[in-house]
Short mmCIF file of all heavy atoms in Angstrom, two decimals:
data_model
loop_
_atom_site.label_atom_id
_atom_site.label_comp_id
_atom_site.label_asym_id
_atom_site.label_seq_id
_atom_site.Cartn_x
_atom_site.Cartn_y
_atom_site.Cartn_z
N GLU A 15 0.73 -7.65 23.10
CA GLU A 15 -0.60 -8.09 22.64
C GLU A 15 -1.27 -7.02 21.81
O GLU A 15 -2.47 -7.00 21.64
CB GLU A 15 -1.48 -8.40 23.86
CG GLU A 15 -1.01 -9.60 24.67
CD GLU A 15 -1.01 -10.87 23.85
OE1 GLU A 15 -2.00 -11.12 23.16
OE2 GLU A 15 0.01 -11.57 23.88
N ARG A 16 -0.47 -6.06 21.28
CA ARG A 16 -1.09 -4.91 20.61
C ARG A 16 -1.72 -5.24 19.27
O ARG A 16 -2.43 -4.44 18.73
CB ARG A 16 0.00 -3.88 20.30
CG ARG A 16 0.60 -3.25 21.49
CD ARG A 16 1.51 -2.16 20.98
NE ARG A 16 2.23 -1.63 22.08
CZ ARG A 16 3.55 -1.76 22.23
NH1 ARG A 16 4.27 -2.36 21.33
NH2 ARG A 16 4.13 -1.26 23.27
N ASN A 17 -1.35 -6.43 18.76
CA ASN A 17 -1.54 -6.55 17.33
C ASN A 17 -2.96 -6.82 16.85
O ASN A 17 -3.14 -7.60 15.93
CB ASN A 17 -0.57 -7.58 16.77
CG ASN A 17 -0.59 -8.85 17.55
OD1 ASN A 17 -1.47 -9.03 18.36
ND2 ASN A 17 0.38 -9.72 17.32
N THR A 18 -3.97 -6.20 17.43
CA THR A 18 -5.27 -6.21 16.77
C THR A 18 -5.11 -5.28 15.58
O THR A 18 -4.59 -4.18 15.71
CB THR A 18 -6.37 -5.66 17.68
OG1 THR A 18 -5.89 -4.47 18.24
CG2 THR A 18 -6.75 -6.66 18.74
N PHE A 19 -5.53 -5.72 14.45
CA PHE A 19 -5.13 -5.04 13.23
C PHE A 19 -6.33 -4.65 12.39
O PHE A 19 -7.13 -5.50 12.04
CB PHE A 19 -4.22 -5.96 12.44
CG PHE A 19 -3.49 -5.22 11.38
CD1 PHE A 19 -2.40 -4.46 11.70
CD2 PHE A 19 -3.94 -5.26 10.07
CE1 PHE A 19 -1.74 -3.75 10.72
CE2 PHE A 19 -3.27 -4.56 9.10
CZ PHE A 19 -2.17 -3.80 9.42
N PRO A 20 -6.46 -3.37 12.05
CA PRO A 20 -7.59 -2.97 11.23
C PRO A 20 -7.45 -3.47 9.80
O PRO A 20 -6.33 -3.67 9.33
CB PRO A 20 -7.53 -1.44 11.27
CG PRO A 20 -6.19 -1.07 11.79
CD PRO A 20 -5.55 -2.28 12.38
N GLY A 21 -8.56 -3.67 9.14
CA GLY A 21 -8.53 -3.97 7.71
C GLY A 21 -8.15 -5.38 7.35
O GLY A 21 -7.85 -5.67 6.20
N GLY A 22 -8.10 -6.28 8.34
CA GLY A 22 -7.75 -7.65 8.02
C GLY A 22 -7.48 -8.44 9.27
O GLY A 22 -7.60 -7.92 10.38
N ASP A 23 -7.08 -9.70 9.08
CA ASP A 23 -6.94 -10.58 10.24
C ASP A 23 -5.49 -10.76 10.66
O ASP A 23 -5.22 -11.32 11.72
CB ASP A 23 -7.54 -11.94 9.87
CG ASP A 23 -8.16 -12.61 11.07
OD1 ASP A 23 -8.86 -11.92 11.81
OD2 ASP A 23 -7.92 -13.81 11.25
N THR A 24 -4.55 -10.34 9.84
CA THR A 24 -3.14 -10.54 10.18
C THR A 24 -2.56 -9.25 10.78
O THR A 24 -3.12 -8.18 10.61
CB THR A 24 -2.33 -10.92 8.93
OG1 THR A 24 -2.47 -9.88 7.97
CG2 THR A 24 -2.78 -12.25 8.35
N ALA A 25 -1.43 -9.40 11.46
CA ALA A 25 -0.82 -8.25 12.14
C ALA A 25 0.53 -7.94 11.54
O ALA A 25 1.36 -8.83 11.37
CB ALA A 25 -0.68 -8.57 13.62
N SER A 26 0.77 -6.68 11.24
CA SER A 26 2.10 -6.29 10.73
C SER A 26 3.03 -6.01 11.90
O SER A 26 2.59 -5.78 13.02
CB SER A 26 1.98 -5.05 9.85
OG SER A 26 1.78 -3.91 10.67
N ILE A 27 4.31 -5.98 11.60
CA ILE A 27 5.30 -5.70 12.64
C ILE A 27 5.09 -4.32 13.26
O ILE A 27 5.33 -4.11 14.44
CB ILE A 27 6.73 -5.84 12.06
CG1 ILE A 27 7.77 -5.79 13.18
CG2 ILE A 27 7.03 -4.79 11.00
CD1 ILE A 27 9.17 -6.20 12.73
#
Side-chain angles (χ1 to χ4, degrees):
E15 293 299 313
R16 293 187 187 114
N17 49 12
T18 48
F19 195 78
D23 212 44
T24 58
S26 74
I27 190 168

